Amino acid sequence: MKITGCETHAVTVNFEGMMSGTHVVLRLRTDQGIEGIAYVSRVGPRNIRAMALVMEAMVESIHGLDPSNAEEIYRKLFGAALGAPVSGLELRAASAIDVACWDLKGKAVGQPVFRLMGGFRDRLPISANWALMPGGPKDKLQAHLENLLARGFRAVKAPCGFATIPDAVDHVKFIRAVVGPDVRIIVDLNFAHTVKSALRFARETEEVDLYWIEDPVAFHDYDGMAQVRANAKQNITAGEVYQHPHEFKWLLERRGSDNVMIDQDLGLTGFLKIAHMAQAYGCPVVNHLAPEALAHPIAAVPNGLIVGLVPWGQPLFTEPMKVDDGNLVMPATPGLGLTLDEDVLKKCAVS
Ligand SMILES: [Mg+2]
């Protein structure tokens, strides 16, 4: 199998009127007629066209290579062969191409990607990570939480970094009162705090029984993260903005977090490297965004903890991710198990 080219689509889609996202979708083509799929999010409107062009140029640079050789392509795309890693749009394009290569690899041998990567399990916990900001009407929040429980979710994540500590504490206490004692509640502090204010939040929410506190302090303050981790009773999760393996190494060496969060920016190949490194430190791993792709390495490795579902890419596909009694049911179909919705790609195209 050889890579022969690609097609890109820039689209803006909306999930249930609650969350919208602009994405660049990549379809990686081969001489065998099968295509690999990936998408990149968080691209500003002015950079959408640039993102697609960079992606197309990078695919040209691997023209004729076999997508099954993930490490060969990873080395070429991420620039490790030159000793100087890629960054910016190039890095983000490279990560999407890497994801599409894994999709192709699975399709070529008729296996789901998570099985090729290790196949540790085919069901794993999933959390609902949308529309849980503090500050809105309480009755609306309650209705949303009840809807999530009815849909089978048993874990939720609330971003609280933009609220005051009293408001954030009040918010998570309200969520606990609605969902009961058996649902996992995750709080994201979005890098907003000092060590001391993060510890104040941790102390004041001890009785709420949080599953983890995420990004309590600035992402580059590895020692501050470690101080919070050492002094808070709750587990700490960090890592979502890191794009290179050495950043995770710095975090892990300092014991900066209990769980490691990995973004698609590392590619699936890079995700696996970080997951194995984290395992050596006894740390579970979770995903940041791109749940459709990143659920695969989490299901594949023994230290995969839970998949966070940010659903802004879900309208791109014909099938939603399947949730059953708190678990994500991994697709049994080859590759990533994703089928693009052609109508959505046309209707929601960014001009
Ligand atoms: Mg976060």
Side-chain angles (χ1 to χ4, degrees), residues 40 54 74 102 126 216 286:
V40 168
V54 170
Y74 180 83
W102 275 96
I126 185 166
V286 299

Side-chain angles (χ1 to χ4, degrees), residues 84-120:
V86 291
S87 60
L89 290 185
E90 279 189 310
L91 178 133
R92 308 210 55 229
S95 70
I97 296 166
D98 180 82
V99 171
C101 283
W102 275 96
D103 189 31
L104 282 169
K105 194 170 162 170
K107 285 169 177 166
V109 297
Q111 287 287 325
V113 168
F114 74 94
R115 289 208 191 283
L116 297 183
M117 291 177 158
F120 186 71

Side-chain angles (χ1 to χ4, degrees), residues 325-339:
D325 193 22
N327 286 300
L328 169 67
V329 181
M330 291 300 291
T333 42
L336 295 172
L338 303 171
T339 305

Side-chain angles (χ1 to χ4, degrees), residues 219 222 238-257 259-266 270-271 273-275 277-278 281 283-286 288:
F219 63 88
Y222 298 91
E240 69 173 53
V241 295
Y242 300 152
Q243 295 180 317
H244 302 290
H246 66 270
E247 294 162 310
F248 291 96
K249 180 169 168 276
W250 289 341
L251 180 76
L252 289 163
E253 279 176 343
R254 286 167 176 79
R255 300 276 168 186
S257 67
N259 309 311
V260 172
M261 179 170 283
I262 312 170
D263 189 272
Q264 181 181 269
D265 285 357
L266 280 290
F271 191 112
K273 291 176 194 292
I274 307 304
M277 180 163 67
Y281 286 85
C283 287
V285 294
V286 299
H288 180 237

Side-chain angles (χ1 to χ4, degrees), residues 74-265:
Y74 180 83
R75 190 172 160 86
K76 204 170 163 59
L77 290 178
F78 284 76
L82 300 171
V86 291
S87 60
L89 290 185
E90 279 189 310
L91 178 133
R92 308 210 55 229
S95 70
I97 296 166
D98 180 82
V99 171
C101 283
W102 275 96
D103 189 31
L104 282 169
K105 194 170 162 170
K107 285 169 177 166
V109 297
Q111 287 287 325
V113 168
F114 74 94
R115 289 208 191 283
L116 297 183
M117 291 177 158
F120 186 71
R121 54 185 166 171
D122 57 13
R123 289 169 66 94
L124 68 168
I126 185 166
S127 66
N129 297 5
W130 72 97
L132 292 165
M133 295 273 281
K138 288 272 201 282
D139 55 342
K140 205 172 157 198
L141 175 61
Q142 178 165 350
H144 178 50
L145 287 163
E146 285 166 355
N147 179 259
L148 292 175
L149 297 183
R151 288 159 79 157
F153 288 99
R154 299 290 176 266
V156 297
K157 178 157 116 178
C160 291
F162 307 102
T164 63
I165 289 181
D167 285 351
V169 171
D170 177 63
H171 186 62
V172 295
K173 284 183 177 172
F174 181 81
I175 293 175
R176 175 58 76 209
V178 173
V179 300
D182 300 329
V183 170
R184 290 162 172 160
I185 302 175
I186 299 163
V187 170
D188 194 344
L189 291 182
N190 312 99
F191 315 106
H193 286 272
T194 62
V195 169
K196 285 183 179 168
S197 65
L199 287 173
R200 180 184 155 201
F201 175 82
R203 267 194 316 277
E204 292 186 14
T205 53
E206 276 174 16
E207 68 189 70
V208 184
D209 187 22
L210 299 177
Y211 192 49
W212 74 62
I213 294 174
E214 183 170 319
D215 293 329
V217 298
F219 63 88
H220 47 80
D221 184 6
Y222 298 91
D223 293 319
M225 207 72 85
Q227 276 182 292
V228 176
R229 179 184 169 267
N231 291 291
K233 291 213 167 68
Q234 298 91 338
N235 281 338
I236 302 299
T237 299
E240 69 173 53
V241 295
Y242 300 152
Q243 295 180 317
H244 302 290
H246 66 270
E247 294 162 310
F248 291 96
K249 180 169 168 276
W250 289 341
L251 180 76
L252 289 163
E253 279 176 343
R254 286 167 176 79
R255 300 276 168 186
S257 67
D258 298 280
N259 309 311
V260 172
M261 179 170 283
I262 312 170
D263 189 272
Q264 181 181 269
D265 285 357

Side-chain angles (χ1 to χ4, degrees), residues 308-331:
L309 175 54
V310 171
W312 62 1
Q314 286 281 278
L316 301 171
F317 307 107
T318 54
E319 299 283 325
M321 292 175 84
K322 195 174 165 205
V323 179
D324 174 46
D325 193 22
N327 286 300
L328 169 67
V329 181
M330 291 300 291

